[in-house]
Amino acid sequence: MRVHIATDHAGMDLSSHLIAHLAGKGYDVVDHGPREYDAEDDYPAFCINAAEAVVRDQEAGTEALGIVLGGSGNGEQIAANKVRGVRAALAWNLETAKLARQHNDANIVAVGGRQHSVEEATGIIEAFLAEPFSDAERHVRRIAQIARYETTGSTR
């Protein structure tokens, strides 16, 4: 599986850890930046680039998910969700990470690097990446409503 990752300055240490950790587990990890620490960085471009790459890969038939990191993960999730086809979920524990995949077929997880230890955040990310979508009819139906709204402005 390909994993696209982006961060802001507050998530750089966690991002570096995850890139090495996930590559060591066999994931094809693509780093969308930033490449160096800048406390004044503008994270939206990094997160949007990662989100666009996830959608592009998925549309091409490549199994791909994304990770966006920040201090809280909120702004990064918001930025990623501006990309058509993205369902980014903020996960703060194992259960929310799993449910994001099971029920929402989330294709990007947002995690706050200042909210968790490296070990906790790594566990949340691993839970997200490992969990399959349930394919339950009610979830498929709801995701389709969201996608329709995204393209037509209506859920019907």
Side-chain angles (χ1 to χ4, degrees), residues 2-119:
R2 186 168 297 148
V3 177
H4 295 275
I5 189 167
T7 188
D8 75 349
H9 64 278
M12 286 196 70
D13 289 341
L14 178 57
S15 180
S16 295
H17 163 76
L18 288 169
I19 289 166
H21 177 78
L22 295 173
K25 290 192 163 276
Y27 290 97
D28 175 14
V29 182
V30 180
D31 181 7
H32 292 271
R35 302 281 186 250
E36 57 190 47
Y37 181 87
D38 176 1
E40 297 294 319
D41 69 2
D42 292 324
Y43 64 84
F46 304 124
C47 296
I48 289 168
N49 289 341
E52 288 176 337
V54 168
V55 171
R56 207 170 31 251
D57 276 353
Q58 289 181 335
E59 288 176 348
T62 300
E63 185 181 19
L65 293 172
I67 303 164
V68 293
L69 306 168
S72 69
N74 284 307
E76 295 74 22
Q77 176 201 25
I78 291 167
N81 273 321
K82 298 303 179 186
V83 174
R84 183 175 291 183
V86 166
R87 289 175 306 283
L90 180 65
W92 60 89
N93 60 27
L94 296 175
E95 189 66 15
T96 56
K98 291 176 184 179
L99 288 172
R101 292 286 304 132
Q102 286 175 9
H103 291 190
N104 307 111
D105 198 16
N107 49 9
I108 295 181
V109 64
V111 174
R114 292 180 176 156
Q115 311 306 311
H116 308 281
S117 69
V118 170
E119 294 77 22

